[in-house]
Amino acid sequence: MNPAGRNDPCPCGSGLKYKKCCLEKRGDSISDSNDTQGLLARAYKKMADENWDEAIALFKDVLETKPEKHSVLEAIGASYDGMENYLLAAEYYEKALTCCPGSKRFELNYRLGVSRACGERLKKASEAFRECLSLHEGLPEKQAILQILEKLELVQEGKGKTNIFYIQTQLQRAFTEMEDERYESAAYRLEKIAPMDPENSAIFYNLGVVYTFLRKEDDAIENFQKCVDLDPEYVQAYYNLGQISLIKKRDFSKALHFFDRAAAVRPDYVGAHHQRGIAYELLGYVQKAIECWEKTLELDPDNKQAKGNIERVRSALEKEPSSENN
């Protein structure tokens, strides 16, 4: 006969769950400790895999044996946070604060403030962030907390979007997913918030980056273009448009146009000057290409690519001088 699971009916026939009946009566503290650690390991694994419901159920099982564990309460809050159930997340962060050590209170209050802000409980969010200031007024984070409080005050005065913190949180989480190379998840998250903040150029820029990694070049171009339409000085978007045009679309004239725009916005942009040279060479304007690489070296004297390109092209011109187009 297989041993009963913690949530199975107790084999003794009491009608209670095994964990509430004979498991408690075993008196085997070592086994119970091992059982709890096993549950915790499974719970954190489910959490890491974003199986939020299963993680929460397992963490709640742990709480029945270790009710004072602030880290477990915090993990439940983080799981609800992952599900975007921000008010339930806040509830568990509050519970964790009732039993956590002083060293953890700043982080927990910060999480509480973010979850309340995302749940549009702005007054309560301000309370949590003010508590952060009272705990660690001398930390570098102080200025960031003050800026958050200023934004919260403006929103409460009707001078900002009530969902601004939700949008910012989703954008930050998309950054994390991109760092972890979870591009589909990042794309889904960014597409969801784009209609909420259609004038936020950073959302469209990062959508362009995500779609580039997903090899969806047309979608990438569309979003980079939206980015520069909103912010004509978003230099990296011009550069990325140039790269896609150059490498994927083989449209060298369009690539040159975008690299020109990047260099015009930021004249010290080494990469833009170098890629202008590549585009000029592919268009047949060899002397203009050399000029671009010389500008690259002026800005970055150790640039090996620019040096190599100049040497390669000049060597070719010396062998076939009649082939120079410009």
PDB file of all heavy atoms in Angstrom, residues 288-304:
ATOM      1  N   LYS A 288      33.601  57.399 -49.727  1.00  0.00           N
ATOM      2  CA  LYS A 288      32.723  57.835 -48.633  1.00  0.00           C
ATOM      3  C   LYS A 288      32.779  56.837 -47.474  1.00  0.00           C
ATOM      4  O   LYS A 288      32.723  57.214 -46.303  1.00  0.00           O
ATOM      5  CB  LYS A 288      31.295  58.018 -49.123  1.00  0.00           C
ATOM      6  CG  LYS A 288      31.075  59.268 -49.945  1.00  0.00           C
ATOM      7  CD  LYS A 288      29.617  59.446 -50.281  1.00  0.00           C
ATOM      8  CE  LYS A 288      29.389  60.745 -51.056  1.00  0.00           C
ATOM      9  NZ  LYS A 288      29.643  61.934 -50.222  1.00  0.00           N
ATOM     10  N   ALA A 289      32.893  55.545 -47.828  1.00  0.00           N
ATOM     11  CA  ALA A 289      33.020  54.527 -46.791  1.00  0.00           C
ATOM     12  C   ALA A 289      34.279  54.753 -45.965  1.00  0.00           C
ATOM     13  O   ALA A 289      34.259  54.701 -44.729  1.00  0.00           O
ATOM     14  CB  ALA A 289      33.031  53.135 -47.421  1.00  0.00           C
ATOM     15  N   ILE A 290      35.391  55.036 -46.662  1.00  0.00           N
ATOM     16  CA  ILE A 290      36.657  55.288 -45.961  1.00  0.00           C
ATOM     17  C   ILE A 290      36.523  56.493 -45.040  1.00  0.00           C
ATOM     18  O   ILE A 290      36.991  56.487 -43.895  1.00  0.00           O
ATOM     19  CB  ILE A 290      37.800  55.481 -46.973  1.00  0.00           C
ATOM     20  CG1 ILE A 290      38.088  54.160 -47.693  1.00  0.00           C
ATOM     21  CG2 ILE A 290      39.053  56.006 -46.276  1.00  0.00           C
ATOM     22  CD1 ILE A 290      39.081  54.277 -48.828  1.00  0.00           C
ATOM     23  N   GLU A 291      35.864  57.536 -45.514  1.00  0.00           N
ATOM     24  CA  GLU A 291      35.673  58.731 -44.690  1.00  0.00           C
ATOM     25  C   GLU A 291      34.900  58.400 -43.407  1.00  0.00           C
ATOM     26  O   GLU A 291      35.212  58.919 -42.325  1.00  0.00           O
ATOM     27  CB  GLU A 291      34.942  59.809 -45.487  1.00  0.00           C
ATOM     28  CG  GLU A 291      35.789  60.411 -46.611  1.00  0.00           C
ATOM     29  CD  GLU A 291      34.971  61.301 -47.537  1.00  0.00           C
ATOM     30  OE1 GLU A 291      33.785  61.564 -47.217  1.00  0.00           O
ATOM     31  OE2 GLU A 291      35.504  61.745 -48.575  1.00  0.00           O
ATOM     32  N   CYS A 292      33.900  57.545 -43.536  1.00  0.00           N
ATOM     33  CA  CYS A 292      33.114  57.145 -42.353  1.00  0.00           C
ATOM     34  C   CYS A 292      33.976  56.363 -41.371  1.00  0.00           C
ATOM     35  O   CYS A 292      33.897  56.566 -40.151  1.00  0.00           O
ATOM     36  CB  CYS A 292      31.914  56.305 -42.771  1.00  0.00           C
ATOM     37  SG  CYS A 292      30.642  57.213 -43.668  1.00  0.00           S
ATOM     38  N   TRP A 293      34.811  55.478 -41.869  1.00  0.00           N
ATOM     39  CA  TRP A 293      35.668  54.698 -40.977  1.00  0.00           C
ATOM     40  C   TRP A 293      36.755  55.557 -40.358  1.00  0.00           C
ATOM     41  O   TRP A 293      37.165  55.310 -39.218  1.00  0.00           O
ATOM     42  CB  TRP A 293      36.258  53.505 -41.737  1.00  0.00           C
ATOM     43  CG  TRP A 293      35.174  52.533 -42.151  1.00  0.00           C
ATOM     44  CD1 TRP A 293      34.040  52.216 -41.464  1.00  0.00           C
ATOM     45  CD2 TRP A 293      35.125  51.778 -43.355  1.00  0.00           C
ATOM     46  NE1 TRP A 293      33.287  51.308 -42.155  1.00  0.00           N
ATOM     47  CE2 TRP A 293      33.928  51.012 -43.330  1.00  0.00           C
ATOM     48  CE3 TRP A 293      35.966  51.662 -44.470  1.00  0.00           C
ATOM     49  CZ2 TRP A 293      33.553  50.151 -44.350  1.00  0.00           C
ATOM     50  CZ3 TRP A 293      35.609  50.797 -45.495  1.00  0.00           C
ATOM     51  CH2 TRP A 293      34.411  50.051 -45.437  1.00  0.00           C
ATOM     52  N   GLU A 294      37.200  56.570 -41.091  1.00  0.00           N
ATOM     53  CA  GLU A 294      38.165  57.506 -40.511  1.00  0.00           C
ATOM     54  C   GLU A 294      37.520  58.300 -39.372  1.00  0.00           C
ATOM     55  O   GLU A 294      38.164  58.577 -38.356  1.00  0.00           O
ATOM     56  CB  GLU A 294      38.703  58.450 -41.589  1.00  0.00           C
ATOM     57  CG  GLU A 294      39.679  57.759 -42.543  1.00  0.00           C
ATOM     58  CD  GLU A 294      40.114  58.656 -43.697  1.00  0.00           C
ATOM     59  OE1 GLU A 294      39.392  59.645 -43.971  1.00  0.00           O
ATOM     60  OE2 GLU A 294      41.161  58.362 -44.317  1.00  0.00           O
ATOM     61  N   LYS A 295      36.251  58.657 -39.550  1.00  0.00           N
ATOM     62  CA  LYS A 295      35.524  59.335 -38.481  1.00  0.00           C
ATOM     63  C   LYS A 295      35.374  58.397 -37.274  1.00  0.00           C
ATOM     64  O   LYS A 295      35.491  58.817 -36.113  1.00  0.00           O
ATOM     65  CB  LYS A 295      34.140  59.767 -38.978  1.00  0.00           C
ATOM     66  CG  LYS A 295      33.285  60.466 -37.931  1.00  0.00           C
ATOM     67  CD  LYS A 295      33.893  61.779 -37.475  1.00  0.00           C
ATOM     68  CE  LYS A 295      33.002  62.516 -36.506  1.00  0.00           C
ATOM     69  NZ  LYS A 295      33.604  63.784 -36.030  1.00  0.00           N
ATOM     70  N   THR A 296      35.134  57.105 -37.566  1.00  0.00           N
ATOM     71  CA  THR A 296      35.047  56.103 -36.493  1.00  0.00           C
ATOM     72  C   THR A 296      36.335  56.086 -35.687  1.00  0.00           C
ATOM     73  O   THR A 296      36.314  56.080 -34.454  1.00  0.00           O
ATOM     74  CB  THR A 296      34.781  54.702 -37.090  1.00  0.00           C
ATOM     75  OG1 THR A 296      33.581  54.735 -37.873  1.00  0.00           O
ATOM     76  CG2 THR A 296      34.646  53.661 -35.995  1.00  0.00           C
ATOM     77  N   LEU A 297      37.468  56.108 -36.385  1.00  0.00           N
ATOM     78  CA  LEU A 297      38.770  56.074 -35.706  1.00  0.00           C
ATOM     79  C   LEU A 297      39.061  57.371 -34.964  1.00  0.00           C
ATOM     80  O   LEU A 297      39.752  57.365 -33.939  1.00  0.00           O
ATOM     81  CB  LEU A 297      39.880  55.780 -36.711  1.00  0.00           C
ATOM     82  CG  LEU A 297      39.894  54.354 -37.271  1.00  0.00           C
ATOM     83  CD1 LEU A 297      40.925  54.218 -38.380  1.00  0.00           C
ATOM     84  CD2 LEU A 297      40.187  53.348 -36.154  1.00  0.00           C
ATOM     85  N   GLU A 298      38.550  58.460 -35.481  1.00  0.00           N
ATOM     86  CA  GLU A 298      38.707  59.735 -34.780  1.00  0.00           C
ATOM     87  C   GLU A 298      38.032  59.667 -33.407  1.00  0.00           C
ATOM     88  O   GLU A 298      38.547  60.192 -32.419  1.00  0.00           O
ATOM     89  CB  GLU A 298      38.086  60.852 -35.626  1.00  0.00           C
ATOM     90  CG  GLU A 298      38.172  62.231 -35.000  1.00  0.00           C
ATOM     91  CD  GLU A 298      37.436  63.269 -35.833  1.00  0.00           C
ATOM     92  OE1 GLU A 298      37.500  63.183 -37.083  1.00  0.00           O
ATOM     93  OE2 GLU A 298      36.791  64.148 -35.243  1.00  0.00           O
ATOM     94  N   LEU A 299      36.868  58.998 -33.376  1.00  0.00           N
ATOM     95  CA  LEU A 299      36.121  58.859 -32.123  1.00  0.00           C
ATOM     96  C   LEU A 299      36.643  57.714 -31.267  1.00  0.00           C
ATOM     97  O   LEU A 299      36.594  57.770 -30.035  1.00  0.00           O
ATOM     98  CB  LEU A 299      34.633  58.629 -32.433  1.00  0.00           C
ATOM     99  CG  LEU A 299      33.903  59.774 -33.117  1.00  0.00           C
ATOM    100  CD1 LEU A 299      32.550  59.309 -33.650  1.00  0.00           C
ATOM    101  CD2 LEU A 299      33.705  60.940 -32.138  1.00  0.00           C
ATOM    102  N   ASP A 300      37.131  56.672 -31.930  1.00  0.00           N
ATOM    103  CA  ASP A 300      37.579  55.458 -31.239  1.00  0.00           C
ATOM    104  C   ASP A 300      38.861  54.966 -31.908  1.00  0.00           C
ATOM    105  O   ASP A 300      38.821  54.087 -32.776  1.00  0.00           O
ATOM    106  CB  ASP A 300      36.481  54.386 -31.297  1.00  0.00           C
ATOM    107  CG  ASP A 300      36.883  53.094 -30.614  1.00  0.00           C
ATOM    108  OD1 ASP A 300      37.886  53.096 -29.867  1.00  0.00           O
ATOM    109  OD2 ASP A 300      36.198  52.071 -30.821  1.00  0.00           O
ATOM    110  N   PRO A 301      40.009  55.511 -31.513  1.00  0.00           N
ATOM    111  CA  PRO A 301      41.280  55.219 -32.201  1.00  0.00           C
ATOM    112  C   PRO A 301      41.668  53.734 -32.209  1.00  0.00           C
ATOM    113  O   PRO A 301      42.469  53.330 -33.047  1.00  0.00           O
ATOM    114  CB  PRO A 301      42.302  56.048 -31.413  1.00  0.00           C
ATOM    115  CG  PRO A 301      41.502  57.147 -30.797  1.00  0.00           C
ATOM    116  CD  PRO A 301      40.177  56.541 -30.473  1.00  0.00           C
ATOM    117  N   ASP A 302      41.143  52.964 -31.299  1.00  0.00           N
ATOM    118  CA  ASP A 302      41.506  51.548 -31.223  1.00  0.00           C
ATOM    119  C   ASP A 302      40.503  50.631 -31.917  1.00  0.00           C
ATOM    120  O   ASP A 302      40.549  49.412 -31.736  1.00  0.00           O
ATOM    121  CB  ASP A 302      41.650  51.125 -29.756  1.00  0.00           C
ATOM    122  CG  ASP A 302      42.781  51.858 -29.054  1.00  0.00           C
ATOM    123  OD1 ASP A 302      43.805  52.101 -29.711  1.00  0.00           O
ATOM    124  OD2 ASP A 302      42.624  52.179 -27.863  1.00  0.00           O
ATOM    125  N   ASN A 303      39.595  51.197 -32.693  1.00  0.00           N
ATOM    126  CA  ASN A 303      38.556  50.394 -33.337  1.00  0.00           C
ATOM    127  C   ASN A 303      39.174  49.501 -34.422  1.00  0.00           C
ATOM    128  O   ASN A 303      39.556  49.969 -35.500  1.00  0.00           O
ATOM    129  CB  ASN A 303      37.490  51.309 -33.946  1.00  0.00           C
ATOM    130  CG  ASN A 303      36.243  50.540 -34.343  1.00  0.00           C
ATOM    131  OD1 ASN A 303      36.284  49.685 -35.220  1.00  0.00           O
ATOM    132  ND2 ASN A 303      35.140  50.853 -33.689  1.00  0.00           N
ATOM    133  N   LYS A 304      39.286  48.226 -34.132  1.00  0.00           N
ATOM    134  CA  LYS A 304      39.957  47.290 -35.035  1.00  0.00           C
ATOM    135  C   LYS A 304      39.164  47.065 -36.325  1.00  0.00           C
ATOM    136  O   LYS A 304      39.752  46.874 -37.396  1.00  0.00           O
ATOM    137  CB  LYS A 304      40.178  45.953 -34.322  1.00  0.00           C
ATOM    138  CG  LYS A 304      41.172  46.043 -33.178  1.00  0.00           C
ATOM    139  CD  LYS A 304      41.360  44.684 -32.511  1.00  0.00           C
ATOM    140  CE  LYS A 304      42.359  44.779 -31.367  1.00  0.00           C
ATOM    141  NZ  LYS A 304      42.545  43.465 -30.688  1.00  0.00           N
TER     142      LYS A 304
END
